[in-house]
Amino acid sequence: MEKERIVGIDLGTTKSVISIMEGSKPEVITNAEGERVTPSVVSFTEQSERLVGTLAKRRAVTHPEQTISEIKRKMGTDYRVQIKTEQGLKQYSPEEISSMILSKLKKDAEDKLGFKIKKAVITVPAYFNQQQRQATKDAGKIAGLEVERIINEPTAASLAYGLDKQKDQTILVYDLGGGTFDVSILDIGEGVFEVVATSGDTFLGGKDYDQRVVDWLAQEFKDESGIDLTKDLAALQRLKEAAETAKKELSYKQETVINLPYIAADAKGPKHLERKLSKTKFIALTDDFSKRTMQIVEQALRDAKLTPKDIDQVVMVGGSTRMPRIQELVTEIFPAKINKEINPDEVVSLGAAIQGAVLAGEVDQIVLLDVTPLTLSIETLGGIATPIIDRNTTVPCEKTKTFTTAEDGQTQVDIHITQGERKLTRDNKSLGRFQLTGIAPAPRGIPQVDVSFSIDADGILHVTAKDKATGKSASIVIKEQSRLGDEELKRMQQDAERYADEDKKRVEEIETRNQADQLVYQMEKTLREIGEKVNASLRDKVQSKVSALKEKLQSNASAAEIRQAMEDLKQASLEIGQQMYQQPEQSTTGAGPDASSPQSESKTDGKSEYIDAEYEKKEK
Ligand code: AMP
C-alpha cells in the first residue's frame, strides 16, 4: 500500500491544481470532472449544499450572491463571506472557503489515486505576508491536510523547471496569474535553488485586465441605452465572463466580437449587447498594467544587483503570460531568453509536487532556499524602525541583536515588531508587540536584552526577547497581525522608494535628538561626579550650556539648532579636562572623569540608537 506521499497544490486566485510525483516526474491529477485545472470557486445551494469548481463557476451567473470567487485575495483578513440559507445568514472565513476548494482537490485526487492523501505542500505568492501564509496553512488543516510546507509560487515553478538542469544559471520567474503578480530571481545549480530576490504586486492579475474590458463595455452600453449594467449582479457576471473570453481570444486573434443577447430590458423591450474589440483597443485599455509589471521586474533586478544580461532564462508562469503583449514586453528586456517549455497553468503545482516528494524522501539532492519579501524591524527611540532581518534574506533564518535600556532603573521593555521598507515605524506595518518584564534595575545602558527574530521554513516569524542578566525571556509567534490589506502593502512598497530621502532626513533628526539627550544625561552625571575638582565658574558655564541644550530639546528646535547647542556644550566641556590635568594630584583619584569624559561620550553618542522612547540600542 502506498503511504505518506505528499501532494503539491497550487491554490490559485482563479484556479487550483493538484499534482503528485509519479516515479521521477510530477504529474497533474485530474478532478472528478476530468479537468486538470479546478476553478477556485465555491457556490452554496439553497439547501446549504456546496459546489466547488466548474459547477460552482457556472452558478456564478445564476446565483452570484451564493457564489464565491477569488477568496485568495481575502486570505489572512477579517473578511467574512455571508451566505443566505434557509436557517438564516451563515458566515464563512476565507480559510473555510479555501478549505472547501482544498477538500475537493483532495477527495477527487484520492478517488483517482486509490489511496488517502494526508500531507501536502501548498504554494502562495512570494508577497504573501505572515498572516496570509498562516491562513493558508489553516485552510489545509480544516480540509484535513497536514501542510508540510508552504512555498512561494515562483520558487515552485523554478523547481519544476530546474529539476533536470545541472548547469549553474540565474533565472527570472515572471508569474502573472489571475489575481497576483510575482517576480523572482533565482540562482540554480547542482540541485540547489536559491531565491536571490523577489518583488511583486498582490493585487494585479488577469482579473484586472478583464475588469477594464467590463468597465469599457458597461460604459458603452450605458451611453447607448442609459442602463447601468454594473448594478445588476447577473448581468455583471455575464460581462465578466465575456470579457475574459474576449481577452483570451485576443491572445491569438486580431479582433473579437462580444455578443450578449438579452443582457437587460427596459419599457421598449429586451436589450442586446454587441461590440467588436480589437487587439489594439484591448492593449490601449490595459497597457498600464503590463507596463507596471515590467517596472516591478526592474525593481527585482535592482534588488538582486543584476542587469538583464545576467539573467540566463526567463520562465513564464500563469495563464496571463499567454497575452502576446506581455511576451513582447518581456522579450524587449530579455531578448531570446523566454522559456516557454512549461505549461504556465500547471508549472507551480508540479513544482510543489516535487517539493512534496523531497520532503517525503522520494527525491533528494534538492535544497530549497527562499527569501523574506519585506524587512522586519523593531521600533527604537523616536519611532525609528531598526531592521533585524533585511528584505530578501534567505529563510529559514535567525538574527539576534542586543539592546539596552535608556532609563535608569527601567525594568521592562516593549518590543514592537514591524514589516516594511520605511525608516519610521509608523509608516510600516505593525505585526505585533509584547513586553519583557522583570529586568534587574540598573542605570541606563547597562542591561542587555537580546532580541531574536527567527523565520521558519514556512515563512512564519518567531520573536524572542531575553534579559541576559536574569535569563528572563518573552516571545511571540506572529500569526495574528493587525489587519492591513494587500493594497496597503503595495502602497508601502511604493512609498518606501518615493519617501526615501524624506525618511532619511526625519531619521537623522530623531537621531540628533537621541544623541543630544544622551549628551545631557552624561554631562549632568559628569558635573555631579567632578564636584569641586574644577572651579565654580567653569561648572556654571557647562551647566548653562546643558540647560540651553535641554531647552532646545524641549522646544521645537530644528536638528541644526540642536547640533549647534551640542557643539557649544562639547566645546565648553573640553575645558573640564584641561583644568583637571592642571591639577595632577587630583587626577589619580578614583573619582576621575575619564569614564564620562566628553570625548568618550561623543564617541558613544555617535553610535547610539534606542529601542523606543525608553531604550538605547547597542550592537552586539
Ligand atoms: P492562473 O491563475 O495562473 O491560472 O491565471 C489565470 C489567468 O490567466 C486568468 O485571468 C485567465 O483569464 C488568464 N488566461 C488564461 N489563458 C489566457 C490566454 N490565452 N490569454 C490571456 N489570458 C489568459
Side-chain angles (χ1 to χ4, degrees):
M1 170 165 161
E2 306 206 49
K3 59 176 169 48
E4 299 307 88
R5 287 175 65 189
I6 303 175
V7 293
I9 299 177
D10 169 9
L11 183 61
T13 309
T14 51
K15 57 105 186 88
S16 297
V17 184
I18 181 167
S19 304
I20 194 162
M21 200 72 143
E22 293 290 359
S24 62
K25 273 190 77 164
E27 284 185 12
V28 171
I29 312 167
T30 53
N31 65 17
E33 292 80 41
E35 305 153 333
R36 298 171 72 80
V37 158
T38 301
S40 305
V41 184
V42 177
S43 188
F44 293 86
T45 66
E46 283 66 26
Q47 293 76 37
S48 290
E49 194 194 338
R50 65 185 200 223
L51 301 171
V52 181
T54 301
L55 292 178
K57 196 176 173 188
R58 279 197 208 125
R59 267 174 62 92
V61 182
T62 50
H63 300 82
E65 284 126 341
Q66 306 287 105
T67 306
I68 304 115
S69 320
E70 295 183 33
I71 195 65
K72 187 171 175 176
R73 288 199 194 258
K74 303 283 192 238
M75 288 295 268
T77 70
D78 281 337
Y79 177 84
R80 291 291 174 270
V81 171
Q82 312 247 10
I83 298 292
K84 273 194 235 127
T85 70
E86 284 168 349
Q87 292 82 41
L89 217 54
K90 230 181 145 191
Q91 289 203 350
Y92 296 96
S93 65
E95 289 91 326
E96 284 175 283
I97 299 295
S98 294
S99 79
M100 292 169 193
I101 299 164
L102 290 172
S103 293
K104 174 180 168 66
L105 295 172
K106 175 178 185 286
K107 171 152 195 326
D108 287 3
E110 285 174 344
D111 290 349
K112 197 98 201 165
L113 297 169
F115 58 86
K116 291 273 174 229
I117 295 167
K118 295 200 190 96
K119 297 180 172 179
V121 168
I122 303 181
T123 58
V124 296
Y127 258 63
F128 257 27
N129 61 27
Q130 313 279 339
Q131 194 178 0
Q132 292 164 310
R133 283 166 199 266
Q134 187 61 45
T136 306
K137 260 192 133 170
D138 292 345
K141 208 187 258 174
I142 301 169
L145 284 169
E146 277 171 54
V147 181
E148 288 288 298
R149 190 68 64 90
I150 297 281
I151 63 173
N152 289 337
E153 288 159 10
T155 306
S158 69
L159 206 47
Y161 170 74
L163 186 61
D164 318 315
K165 318 280 171 195
Q166 293 303 323
K167 153 172 103 73
D168 288 2
Q169 53 187 328
T170 301
I171 70 161
L172 183 141
V173 182
Y174 177 107
D175 179 354
L176 186 59
T180 54
F181 174 60
D182 281 286
V183 188
S184 284
I185 298 173
L186 303 105
D187 275 341
I188 299 183
E190 316 252 324
V192 177
F193 298 68
E194 184 176 8
V195 182
V196 292
T198 69
S199 196
D201 185 337
T202 49
F203 231 76
L204 177 59
K207 290 278 160 187
D208 299 299
Y209 286 76
D210 302 346
Q211 190 59 43
R212 283 283 166 83
V213 176
V214 168
D215 293 345
W216 171 72
L217 287 172
Q219 189 58 48
E220 296 264 307
F221 191 77
K222 196 171 175 193
D223 292 348
E224 197 178 271
S225 68
I227 299 171
D228 185 358
L229 291 176
T230 62
K231 296 273 187 297
D232 175 353
L233 277 182
L236 192 59
Q237 189 56 39
R238 283 180 72 193
L239 276 183
K240 276 189 189 168
E241 287 192 359
E244 188 182 2
T245 306
K247 172 188 75 175
K248 288 184 182 171
E249 282 180 12
L250 291 173
S251 287
Y252 57 90
K253 279 161 77 175
Q254 291 303 315
E255 188 178 89
T256 181
V257 179
I258 297 156
N259 198 346
L260 291 166
Y262 302 98
I263 189 81
D266 64 10
K268 287 189 220 120
K271 296 257 176 261
H272 314 298
L273 184 154
E274 195 181 325
R275 271 278 170 290
K276 270 192 191 146
L277 178 60
S278 69
K279 194 165 156 184
T280 318
K281 174 74 184 168
F282 174 69
I283 290 173
L285 285 172
T286 57
D287 219 31
D288 56 321
F289 291 141
S290 307
K291 289 193 172 134
R292 179 133 58 95
T293 67
M294 298 318 296
Q295 284 167 2
I296 295 169
V297 166
E298 280 159 14
Q299 173 66 45
L301 284 170
R302 276 199 298 276
D303 283 350
K305 300 193 173 57
L306 295 175
T307 64
K309 274 204 237 68
D310 303 317
I311 303 295
D312 298 305
Q313 304 259 6
V314 177
V315 174
M316 303 293 265
V317 180
S320 301
T321 59
R322 291 202 177 93
M323 287 188 282
R325 176 65 178 153
I326 293 292
Q327 301 198 3
E328 188 181 295
L329 288 171
V330 175
T331 309
E332 268 175 26
I333 301 192
F334 306 99
K337 286 181 182 168
I338 300 188
N339 190 295
K340 295 179 193 165
E341 284 162 34
I342 313 171
N343 180 336
D345 297 318
E346 297 177 356
V347 62
V348 168
S349 166
L350 295 174
I354 294 170
Q355 176 67 33
V358 172
L359 293 171
E362 290 175 43
V363 177
D364 47 31
Q365 291 174 331
I366 294 172
V367 186
L368 192 59
L369 302 168
D370 258 335
V371 298
T372 53
L374 293 165
T375 301
L376 295 160
S377 309
I378 70 166
E379 181 169 356
T380 58
L381 183 65
I384 294 177
T386 298
I388 306 281
I389 295 181
D390 290 329
R391 168 184 194 189
N392 283 333
T393 298
T394 305
V395 293
C397 64
E398 186 168 352
K399 291 257 167 76
T400 302
K401 281 190 180 171
T402 307
F403 295 82
T404 178
T405 54
E407 294 283 318
D408 290 339
Q410 186 185 323
T411 56
Q412 61 180 51
V413 292
D414 190 26
I415 308 290
H416 181 201
I417 304 135
T418 66
Q419 187 175 36
E421 305 315 305
R422 298 290 296 274
K423 296 272 189 283
L424 294 181
T425 299
R426 64 161 197 238
D427 299 318
N428 285 325
K429 175 175 180 166
S430 175
L431 294 185
R433 53 168 88 223
F434 66 97
Q435 283 185 334
L436 173 65
T437 55
I439 297 170
R444 84 188 206 173
I446 299 298
Q448 294 197 337
V449 176
D450 280 348
V451 178
S452 306
F453 276 37
S454 99
I455 304 179
D456 65 23
D458 294 325
I460 291 165
L461 174 66
H462 307 254
V463 180
T464 304
K466 185 171 175 194
D467 175 24
K468 279 192 181 167
T470 62
K472 283 216 161 122
S473 71
S475 61
I476 189 173
V477 176
I478 306 288
K479 290 183 197 160
E480 282 303 311
Q481 301 158 22
S482 70
R483 312 294 184 187
L484 256 186
D486 292 340
E487 278 288 12
E488 195 108 30
L489 210 63
K490 187 177 78 191
R491 182 188 55 73
M492 279 163 42
Q493 279 283 333
Q494 290 166 349
D495 283 358
E497 273 184 59
R498 196 179 317 148
Y499 297 116
D501 290 343
E502 219 172 281
D503 280 359
K504 195 166 158 239
K505 211 172 129 227
R506 290 221 302 269
V507 166
E508 277 168 12
E509 273 171 27
I510 294 168
E511 279 171 350
T512 302
R513 285 184 164 268
N514 292 348
Q515 286 164 15
D517 180 64
Q518 176 74 0
L519 184 60
V520 166
Y521 176 84
Q522 288 292 349
M523 286 315 302
E524 285 182 333
K525 190 160 161 253
T526 304
L527 284 171
R528 276 196 306 276
E529 284 168 2
I530 55 174
E532 301 301 314
K533 286 172 211 141
V534 296
N535 65 38
S537 78
L538 177 57
R539 275 208 313 273
D540 289 349
K541 182 175 164 189
V542 175
Q543 182 58 55
S544 76
K545 299 285 179 204
V546 170
S547 305
L549 179 55
K550 272 169 104 171
E551 221 168 85
K552 291 274 179 242
L553 278 174
Q554 274 147 21
S555 69
N556 256 346
S558 69
E561 286 175 300
I562 292 172
R563 271 197 297 272
Q564 185 57 53
M566 281 167 77
E567 201 43 51
D568 291 349
L569 172 56
K570 283 181 189 167
Q571 283 304 325
S573 66
L574 288 176
E575 291 175 35
I576 296 176
Q578 268 168 19
Q579 266 197 22
M580 292 181 73
Y581 282 118
Q582 283 157 11
Q583 303 163 15
E585 76 282 4
Q586 285 182 341
S587 71
T588 55
T589 69
D594 294 41
S596 52
S597 71
Q599 284 85 347
S600 76
E601 280 147 29
S602 51
K603 206 167 135 215
T604 319
D605 287 345
K607 277 199 206 152
S608 291
E609 287 173 60
Y610 300 76
I611 291 191
D612 63 15
E614 293 156 59
Y615 323 104
E616 174 191 352
K617 177 192 155 203
K618 276 202 300 199
E619 288 290 340
K620 217 177 184 179

